[in-house]
Amino acid sequence: MPVVGPEKLVKLQQQGEGIRNDHGKTSLTDALIATNGIISPKLAGKIRYLDSRADEQLRGITMESSAISLYFSLLRRSAPEAQPEQKEYLINLIDSPGHIDFSSEVSTASRLCDGAVVLVDAVEGVCSQTVTVLRQTWTEKLRPLLVINKMDRLITELKLSPAEAYTHLSKLLEQVNAVMGSFALGERMEDDLRWRERIEERVNKTKDQDGQGEGAKGRKTSIAQDEEGVVMSSTPAEYEEKDDEDIYFEPERNNVIFSSAIDGWAFTPRQFAGLYEKKLGIKRHILEKVLWGDFYLDPKTKRVLSSKHLKGRNLKPMFVQLVLENVWAVYEATTGGPNNKGDHGLLEKITKSLNINIPAHIMRSRDPKALLSAVFGAWLPLSTALLVSVVEGLPSPSAAQESRMPALLEQSPGADQIDGKINDAIVHSKQTIGEPVVAYVSKMVSIPESELPGNKRKGGMLSAEEARELGRKKRAEIARAQAQANGEADVASVTDALSSAAIGEDEEVETTNGTEMQDEDPEHLIGFARLLSGTLTVGDEVYVLPPKFTPARPDAHPQPKKVTITALYLLMGRSLETLNSVPAGNVVGIAGLEGAILKSGTICSQLDGAPNLSSTTAISTNAPIVRVALEPAYPGDLDKMIRGLRLLEQADPAVTYEQLESGEHVILTAGELHLERCLKDLRERFAKCDVQAGEAIVPYREGIVRAEEMEAPKNPELGRGRVEMTTASKLVTIRLRVRPLPATVTEFLVKHTGAVKRLYSERKAQEEERSVPKGDDVDGEETNADQPEDIEEHDVEAGDSMEEAGQVLSMEEFRKRLTEAFAEEKGEREVWKDVVDKICSFGPRRVGPNILIDATHDAICNRFLHDDASQTSNGAADKQTNTLADTTTHAFQLATHQGPLCNEPTQGIAVFLESLSLNTSSDSEAAQNTGRLTGEILRTTRDAIRAGFLDWSPRILLAMYSCEIQASAEVLGRVYSVITRRRGRIVDETLLEPSTNFTILALLPVAESFGFSDEIRQRTSGFAAPQLVFEGFEALDEDPFWVPRTEEEIEDLGEKADKENVAKRYVDAVRQRKGLFVRKKVVESAEKQKTLKR
């Protein structure tokens, strides 16, 4: 294969129409890399070139997404009779991981691309990660290509006939299309709901304008009148159904590729249509449509028949007869037969009919695989099928941005304030110098200094000058070594040797003191970015927009940083190539952003009207859930470890680093394998010191339920959950009631955490705008204080799902859906009636699944779910009462952040504030005691909420993994035993036809999951491997404080209760870790010691 130099790739970057950005899988990309001469075609599929880490090669899985730019040329005709012209293309390929722990790498890669190559195993079919990747392509509006890989397994492992394989592939395709259909159906239902709401709003407005007399007119009439009147809208009178043909994978549309990466072949129906066009006398475009599906070839008339016209004849489908049987024949000729040596006569016949020549040394080879690869490499090369499909099936950057970017810009904060020139440049991918430069940085990549292009020799051969310089250095080293060996060497001669080695004035001369510095190889962070508009040049000054930036308030805190681009790099997998400038539409590495971007961000050449694209993306479906405390093995290395942790947090999109109040340094990771990789990177690359990891800290939640056998209320007069407390100074009396929220409401709030967060941010912005004239400095300080909390919540909590990240609910829509969730509760309708209007806060951290309801007579608290923040206080009594109400709301946040069981956040509780009375004789006395009262109210309210919580039956909620395992029937029992022993629960089990493998879906507590993957592999001898995805929190149906009370329970279980209280074990373990009091019996059964004489 000819070697393609970086100069050729840089030249192609300027041609926007010839660029394709997509991402695929490692073994498959080897075949594409081989076309550029980077690796040998013989090693394609085996070397895994883009797995550049040692642990990636060792484990055989990809852990980090890697990018590479490839050159591809194609002969194309502008018209059927025209001469073919050579067209050149630049393909930016990003290889992303398939393991669920590293799904954040898929998310960061998808925003940079215009298309996706989605691989599905021909045997295993649709897995959980397949659904995740397809959902990501759907959310990001990428155009996908489906590759059904490992087709060789159908022949060699399952031993299927071509007809059976065709049936299996049809079912597999149906499964993938069913997943895509479910996404389309969900979006269609949401669109339909919004359309109906808009129609109802317009009908109601028309009724209000026209009066009651004309209110009985039909819907269409009122719409027409409305369109002619003042209110202008683009809402159609009938719901417009979207065309869903483009979302499905169909081989006849050439968006499905059948391949075997390990054997180096792939094909689309289009290739076989070209082969059979002359032989059958059927036009190529007709053959493309009938090669897949229920179409049959009449052997006599050479006509294509549908299933209706078979008339009882037993004919094979055309895909079986013309495609699969030929592929099967090649396998039979090369690796078939009784000794797996193949059939030499059949092979000669195949090579003659295909008109391909196999080199003599390969024909004589004893390795059947080499012969197989040679035949397919000449007949159906993988690179040709895939690259042609990518070039013809995926859009160019300008076409892709024109369809994707308008919706993306609309979702960004302050979309109305985006500069029209910037908007136009992004949508049309304008490359002209002088156009606004906008780039999206999806993640920061850490590169050792020694691997930067400036520190590496360019080209394969040494120039004459480089050879002379290298010789001087070597002579200097030899002279110094001799001087040290002799001990009494002439110092002048050594000095002369060293001076002759000094090539320039800036050359540093190595000394014994500098050897340690030379061994240091510092890490540099480079932005992994997609340039959306303009041309970026080294030396340009650009603004880095922070995550909460909005063009409506460009100067708000934190201020955007202005940085200078120090270098641009062409990403070439394991290496980088230096660039001077990059036009729009390319994937590029940007140096100079270190310290300005934490994980992802937007850079723009101007501040006014700049879009913030980093706030519209979901980082990962598998949110960080495993928390581990770290400490250096030697206390003196603490500063090194902290610097390393900060670097690690920037370099890994799914890692969060925080320092707890106790002083512990904690990182959050997506799973056990991810944690292992992070610790390895920390020790070897970032901190470069020995780091010790403690036991994993797993999150829990605390909740309450109404159980049948609860203790009597603490205060029967007030009722269950109602508490009345007075502060220590007897000045304030608080009365509140705690109740469990309906399950539907809790589920709704957990799912829509992102919507609550957005509504809270909007409300806060409104309050800040009104309070700006009164005191800018105070407001600015409050904003600064709140931001770390909000950012921490976004990073730490595993509540923001990918679907929710792109969903924006207005205040009115959120109110309506929350009201519907309350209406589903049938048992206590009177309790929850009109409760949505009285909600004054969510908690903890203002966005959690607990609510504070203002049930006071005077409505003293601000109401959260009101469109206008100025109307939230309905006639509050006075300023003093308002201050006390705000303090009570803050106490609610504290109480829900640390529950009474083990100081974990609560979930699913409602707190009704019934009264808050001030027992003072005058306002002046209350004003004097404000400082003291604030602390007393915080403590009293928190204690009251905890007492009301414990009046119900408490529950501990466990973080749960959804576990998907594929295992054969022989090891099924072992898999079940491992899951059961770790307190898991089997949810579903399905047989994967036609194989004997089963897909098992189970729920497993995160606390019991450590070592689970290794144990499964050991017990099943590697025949089963689990995929763990964070599912949410599930209540353990057991009261931690339960003890036998009734006579039957004492009779059955005894006073000590023979069975272990699992919930209490979890609670005690968390309390012990946090240093809280744990009630334990040190001595179970003590007896007086006796001395017995014989």
Side-chain angles (χ1 to χ4, degrees):
M1 292 287 176
V3 178
V4 179
E7 300 81 11
K8 184 76 173 176
L9 302 177
V10 173
K11 184 181 176 183
L12 285 174
Q13 282 188 337
Q14 313 299 324
Q15 303 173 9
E17 289 299 317
I19 300 173
R20 298 292 184 273
N21 301 309
D22 69 313
H23 61 98
K25 299 293 287 180
T26 313
S27 296
L28 198 74
T29 54
D30 274 2
L32 309 185
I33 294 169
T35 62
N36 278 224
I38 299 172
I39 62 173
S40 166
K42 293 180 181 179
L43 297 176
K46 304 174 185 67
I47 196 172
R48 300 200 313 278
Y49 180 77
L50 291 183
D51 283 351
S52 54
R53 295 169 56 100
D55 48 357
E56 287 179 328
Q57 290 286 345
L58 186 66
R59 289 179 176 270
I61 62 171
T62 305
M63 296 185 185
E64 288 183 352
S65 51
S66 307
I68 193 166
S69 297
L70 300 175
Y71 164 79
F72 181 61
S73 64
L74 185 66
L75 290 173
R76 304 189 72 171
R77 298 176 190 268
S78 55
E81 294 80 18
Q83 287 293 324
E85 299 175 0
Q86 184 175 4
K87 291 199 173 182
E88 298 178 329
Y89 295 90
L90 174 68
I91 297 175
N92 293 318
L93 192 71
I94 303 176
D95 175 39
S96 56
H99 196 283
I100 200 76
D101 274 13
F102 308 108
S103 57
S104 60
E105 297 282 346
V106 182
S107 304
T108 54
S110 61
R111 178 58 61 89
L112 306 181
C113 300
D114 301 321
V117 178
V118 182
L119 268 74
V120 177
D121 192 307
V123 175
E124 295 177 3
V126 177
C127 305
S128 58
Q129 184 66 353
T130 312
V131 179
T132 303
V133 171
L134 288 172
R135 184 184 288 114
Q136 189 74 34
T137 62
W138 178 267
T139 308
E140 292 288 345
K141 302 289 188 292
L142 303 179
R143 189 177 297 177
L145 285 175
L146 181 68
V147 177
I148 300 178
N149 196 27
K150 301 187 182 179
M151 287 275 291
D152 56 293
R153 293 182 66 188
L154 301 178
I155 306 170
T156 56
E157 286 183 26
L158 300 186
K159 309 288 185 184
L160 299 183
S161 67
E164 292 169 339
Y166 171 71
T167 307
H168 175 69
L169 292 171
S170 301
K171 290 179 180 178
L172 177 58
L173 210 53
E174 285 175 12
Q175 290 175 6
V176 179
N177 283 333
V179 173
M180 298 300 291
S182 66
F183 300 152
L185 181 62
E187 191 175 273
R188 190 247 183 243
M189 291 173 71
E190 285 183 11
D191 290 346
D192 186 40
L193 181 65
R194 292 195 187 102
W195 174 78
R196 290 178 187 278
E197 288 174 354
R198 289 197 297 268
I199 292 293
E200 286 175 9
E201 285 176 10
R202 295 176 60 192
V203 170
N204 293 335
K205 283 180 183 177
T206 308
K207 285 181 180 178
D208 294 340
Q209 291 173 0
D210 296 347
Q212 298 297 326
E214 298 179 6
K217 288 189 176 183
R219 176 177 288 182
K220 292 183 183 177
T221 310
S222 61
I223 290 168
Q225 289 177 356
D226 195 29
E227 286 174 352
E228 292 170 5
V230 180
V231 181
M232 299 299 291
S233 174
S234 58
T235 308
E238 296 290 340
Y239 179 75
E240 294 179 356
E241 291 286 352
K242 292 181 181 177
D243 186 12
D244 62 350
E245 285 185 3
D246 293 338
I247 68 172
Y248 295 114
F249 297 107
E250 298 170 351
E252 57 267 29
R253 293 177 54 230
N254 292 294
N255 59 2
V256 180
I257 303 167
F258 304 91
S259 80
S260 169
I262 196 70
D263 290 335
W265 59 267
F267 65 85
T268 59
R270 175 179 295 173
Q271 286 175 271
F272 279 91
L275 289 173
Y276 287 109
E277 181 182 12
K278 291 182 180 178
K279 188 174 182 180
L280 298 178
I282 302 173
K283 290 183 179 178
R284 183 170 182 167
H285 67 275
I286 297 174
L287 264 179
E288 285 178 20
K289 294 178 181 177
V290 298
L291 264 180
W292 177 269
D294 292 331
F295 296 100
Y296 305 86
L297 185 65
D298 190 332
K300 294 180 180 177
T301 60
K302 300 292 183 184
R303 292 179 58 191
V304 177
L305 307 174
S306 63
S307 54
K308 299 176 185 177
H309 303 92
L310 281 180
K311 298 178 180 177
R313 286 185 289 178
N314 188 19
L315 297 179
K316 298 174 185 175
M318 289 181 68
F319 193 76
V320 174
Q321 185 179 356
L322 302 181
V323 180
L324 293 184
E325 285 187 351
N326 292 322
V327 174
W328 259 244
V330 174
Y331 272 89
E332 179 65 27
T334 53
T335 61
N339 300 321
N340 294 330
K341 298 292 185 181
D343 186 340
H344 192 71
L346 180 59
L347 181 61
E348 283 188 0
K349 185 179 177 184
I350 290 172
T351 53
K352 190 177 289 185
S353 61
L354 293 174
N355 196 22
I356 56 177
N357 294 318
I358 306 296
H361 69 279
I362 294 179
M363 292 292 285
R364 291 193 300 269
S365 172
R366 295 184 178 182
D367 183 11
K369 280 285 183 181
L371 199 55
L372 179 72
S373 300
V375 174
F376 276 123
W379 179 35
L380 299 173
L382 187 150
S383 55
T384 304
L386 192 59
L387 292 176
V388 169
S389 297
V390 164
V391 166
E392 296 187 349
L394 301 186
S396 64
S398 56
Q401 286 182 210
E402 204 162 331
S403 60
R404 290 178 63 206
M405 296 312 295
L408 205 62
L409 291 170
E410 283 177 17
Q411 293 174 11
S412 64
D416 299 335
Q417 304 294 326
I418 296 175
D419 190 346
K421 188 178 179 183
I422 294 178
N423 198 325
D424 185 59
I426 292 176
V427 170
H428 297 100
S429 185
K430 293 185 177 178
Q431 300 181 343
T432 315
I433 296 175
E435 292 287 343
V437 175
V438 180
Y440 173 71
V441 182
S442 71
K443 69 169 184 173
M444 301 297 286
V445 183
S446 181
I447 305 289
E449 188 174 289
S450 59
E451 294 185 13
L452 292 176
N455 302 322
K456 295 178 74 175
R457 181 169 47 80
K458 296 181 180 179
M461 299 288 290
L462 285 172
S463 66
E465 186 62 29
E466 286 174 335
R468 280 192 291 272
E469 288 175 5
L470 188 61
R472 289 192 199 110
K473 282 188 178 182
K474 290 294 182 186
R475 284 194 297 274
E477 288 174 12
I478 292 167
R480 188 172 59 209
Q482 287 175 348
Q484 290 174 352
N486 297 334
E488 49 185 35
D490 184 9
V491 178
S493 63
V494 178
T495 308
D496 293 338
L498 287 173
S499 62
S500 66
I503 299 159
E505 293 179 1
D506 298 332
E507 184 80 18
E508 291 186 4
V509 180
E510 290 181 346
T511 62
T512 53
N513 295 331
T515 51
E516 291 182 7
M517 293 300 294
Q518 187 191 11
D519 293 338
E520 291 285 334
D521 191 7
E523 299 280 335
H524 292 270
L525 292 172
I526 292 170
F528 193 31
R530 163 73 181 269
L531 200 60
L532 299 171
S533 69
T535 298
L536 189 63
T537 309
V538 176
D540 284 356
E541 290 189 342
V542 293
Y543 292 95
V544 176
L545 309 183
K548 293 192 174 185
F549 175 84
T550 171
R553 291 180 297 147
D555 297 321
H557 187 87
Q559 289 277 353
K561 291 184 180 179
K562 195 171 187 179
V563 299
T564 303
I565 304 300
T566 56
L568 296 171
Y569 299 111
L570 178 70
L571 302 167
M572 292 297 293
R574 301 183 182 187
S575 60
L576 301 172
E577 297 291 341
T578 309
L579 300 172
N580 292 324
S581 65
V582 179
N586 285 287
V587 177
V588 65
I590 303 176
L593 305 178
E594 195 166 344
I597 290 181
L598 179 61
K599 290 185 180 296
S600 63
T602 310
I603 61 175
C604 190
S605 56
Q606 68 182 62
L607 196 57
D608 295 332
N612 181 8
L613 299 172
S614 60
S615 64
T616 61
T617 180
I619 291 298
S620 171
T621 51
N622 205 18
I625 194 72
V626 178
R627 188 187 298 232
V628 174
L630 304 176
E631 62 179 10
Y634 305 101
D637 292 335
L638 182 62
D639 289 340
K640 275 187 180 180
M641 189 190 78
I642 293 173
R643 278 197 304 270
L645 284 170
R646 287 179 181 148
L647 270 173
L648 175 66
E649 185 183 24
Q650 284 186 276
D652 194 315
V655 167
T656 303
Y657 160 62
E658 59 181 354
Q659 188 171 357
L660 302 183
E661 294 175 1
S662 60
E664 287 180 298
H665 299 275
V666 170
I667 60 168
L668 281 87
T669 59
E672 196 176 0
L673 183 61
H674 187 214
L675 171 64
E676 190 180 323
R677 191 199 76 180
C678 291
L679 291 176
K680 181 180 172 65
D681 283 350
L682 194 62
R683 292 179 182 124
E684 297 178 2
R685 295 176 59 189
F686 300 123
K688 294 187 178 174
C689 65
D690 193 11
V691 176
Q692 295 176 346
E695 288 189 11
I697 306 169
V698 176
Y700 294 88
R701 295 289 183 268
E702 301 178 20
I704 51 177
V705 295
R706 182 192 296 276
E708 293 180 3
E709 300 174 357
M710 288 190 293
E711 288 187 30
K714 300 285 191 303
N715 192 336
E717 295 177 2
L718 293 175
R720 188 176 298 282
R722 185 176 281 118
V723 181
E724 188 170 319
M725 279 193 180
T726 306
T727 58
S729 61
K730 310 295 182 184
L731 292 177
V732 179
T733 303
I734 298 165
R735 181 169 173 165
L736 52 83
R737 188 175 187 184
V738 179
R739 300 184 68 91
L741 274 175
T744 52
V745 178
T746 306
E747 187 180 339
F748 174 81
L749 292 177
V750 169
K751 186 180 177 185
H752 293 84
T753 306
V756 178
K757 191 180 298 181
R758 187 180 288 270
L759 292 176
Y760 172 74
S761 300
E762 290 173 358
R763 172 57 48 81
K764 191 174 171 186
Q766 289 177 9
E767 292 173 358
E768 283 177 0
E769 285 174 6
R770 280 200 306 277
S771 60
V772 162
K774 296 179 184 178
D776 298 344
D777 296 337
V778 177
D779 292 335
E781 289 173 10
E782 289 176 0
T783 306
N784 298 352
D786 284 342
Q787 276 181 354
E789 185 177 322
D790 293 345
I791 293 169
E792 184 184 357
E793 170 68 13
H794 178 75
D795 289 337
V796 172
E797 297 298 331
D800 293 345
S801 63
M802 178 177 291
E803 304 97 302
E804 184 56 35
Q807 185 178 359
V808 180
L809 293 180
S810 65
M811 181 75 77
E812 192 60 36
E813 192 174 353
F814 182 81
R815 277 169 54 94
K816 183 178 178 182
R817 293 177 67 172
L818 185 57
T819 307
E820 291 171 357
F822 274 112
E824 290 181 25
E825 177 64 21
K826 306 296 181 185
E828 300 175 330
R829 287 193 173 183
E830 290 301 319
V831 175
W832 307 111
K833 187 178 179 183
D834 300 329
V835 82
V836 175
D837 294 327
K838 300 176 184 177
I839 293 175
C840 51
S841 182
F842 295 88
R845 298 181 186 274
R846 307 185 189 90
V847 294
N850 308 285
I851 55 175
L852 176 64
I853 298 160
D854 183 9
T856 56
H857 181 67
D858 297 327
I860 61 173
C861 295
N862 290 337
R863 303 299 171 84
F864 183 81
L865 295 176
H866 281 264
D867 288 329
D868 188 3
S870 63
Q871 300 176 358
T872 54
S873 182
N874 293 335
D878 54 16
K879 185 178 180 181
Q880 183 67 31
T881 313
N882 273 340
T883 306
L884 297 181
D886 291 343
T887 308
T888 307
T889 305
H890 189 61
F892 164 75
Q893 302 294 339
L894 294 175
T896 52
H897 184 58
Q898 292 188 334
L901 295 182
C902 51
N903 280 9
E904 289 289 321
T906 61
Q907 178 170 309
I909 68 168
V911 178
F912 291 81
L913 180 63
E914 296 183 346
S915 69
L916 179 65
S917 54
L918 194 61
N919 309 323
T920 54
S921 55
S922 64
D923 292 341
S924 60
E925 183 183 347
Q928 291 173 0
N929 295 323
T930 300
R932 187 181 69 186
L933 281 179
T934 300
E936 289 184 356
I937 291 172
L938 281 173
R939 184 168 57 254
T940 306
T941 307
R942 188 175 62 180
D943 291 345
I945 292 174
R946 288 187 168 198
F949 183 99
L950 294 174
D951 216 7
W952 298 85
S953 182
R955 292 287 185 271
I956 187 83
L957 281 77
L958 307 180
M960 303 295 285
Y961 273 139
S962 172
C963 174
E964 182 179 299
I965 306 172
Q966 288 198 352
S968 61
E970 293 81 16
V971 298
L972 210 56
R974 298 176 203 170
V975 171
Y976 278 18
S977 66
V978 174
I979 293 173
T980 309
R981 190 167 61 254
R982 292 176 175 265
R983 304 194 59 79
R985 188 176 81 251
I986 306 297
V987 177
D988 187 32
E989 175 194 302
T990 53
L991 176 65
L992 281 174
E993 295 180 357
S995 67
T996 58
N997 292 344
F998 287 84
T999 299
I1000 304 154
L1001 285 176
L1003 286 175
L1004 185 75
V1006 175
E1008 307 286 350
S1009 67
F1010 299 101
F1012 175 71
S1013 299
D1014 290 338
E1015 187 180 358
I1016 282 279
R1017 279 194 287 268
Q1018 287 171 5
R1019 292 293 304 276
T1020 61
S1021 303
F1023 283 102
Q1027 290 269 38
L1028 300 173
V1029 187
F1030 178 66
E1031 184 72 14
F1033 291 90
E1034 185 180 272
L1036 184 62
D1037 194 17
E1038 194 170 0
D1039 191 334
F1041 303 125
W1042 181 86
V1043 290
R1045 290 189 182 87
T1046 63
E1047 289 184 8
E1048 288 120 5
E1049 288 173 349
I1050 293 173
E1051 188 178 338
D1052 289 344
L1053 303 171
E1055 290 183 2
K1056 295 181 181 178
D1058 290 342
K1059 66 174 185 176
E1060 181 194 17
N1061 190 330
V1062 180
K1064 190 173 190 309
R1065 173 160 62 84
Y1066 284 127
V1067 170
D1068 286 348
V1070 177
R1071 291 184 71 88
Q1072 191 168 4
R1073 174 172 57 78
K1074 293 184 175 182
L1076 304 174
F1077 173 70
V1078 179
R1079 183 168 295 170
K1080 279 177 114 176
K1081 283 188 179 180
V1082 180
V1083 180
E1084 283 292 333
S1085 54
E1087 292 180 359
K1088 186 176 179 182
Q1089 184 178 354
K1090 293 179 182 179
T1091 306
L1092 300 176
K1093 293 182 180 179
R1094 289 185 180 273

